[in-house]
Amino acid sequence: MKSTLTLVAYTLGDVNGDNEVDVADISSLSSYILGREVPGFVEKAADLNEDTEIDVADISALAYLILHPETALKAKARKVAEK
């Protein structure tokens, strides 16, 4: 029997999959939360606070990530190291 493993890479916050984390991602995330269809939406990248829900708290986290990338990424690295 042959097994196949598929890896899908994503960047946290790049919810529209364009390889950039910017205000366009906030727009896509907002649209998704409002129930609109968002082509190319990356759910894994959208759950920024990792609470298994995609909601307004993730928009806030995404805005913080865009405005303070170094601080946000250092906090994420500390969180991963603690696990």
Side-chain angles (χ1 to χ4, degrees):
M1 181 192 294
K2 184 178 178 180
S3 296
T4 303
L5 175 65
T6 303
L7 297 176
V8 179
Y10 65 93
T11 299
L12 191 64
D14 182 20
V15 302
N16 62 9
D18 68 353
N19 295 317
E20 293 182 34
V21 178
D22 55 20
V23 72
D25 294 296
I26 291 175
S27 178
S28 295
L29 184 51
S30 299
S31 293
Y32 180 85
I33 290 169
L34 291 172
R36 298 182 186 132
E37 185 176 329
V38 180
F41 190 80
V42 183
E43 285 191 31
K44 285 275 198 186
D47 186 16
L48 279 89
N49 62 3
E50 299 178 327
D51 66 353
T52 69
E53 295 182 29
I54 299 173
D55 55 20
V56 176
D58 295 302
I59 294 174
S60 178
L62 180 53
Y64 187 84
L65 176 63
I66 291 167
L67 294 171
H68 307 282
E70 293 86 18
T71 304
L73 295 175
K74 285 178 187 175
K76 179 73 173 170
R78 279 194 305 273
K79 184 176 178 182
V80 169
E82 291 172 359
K83 285 185 179 181

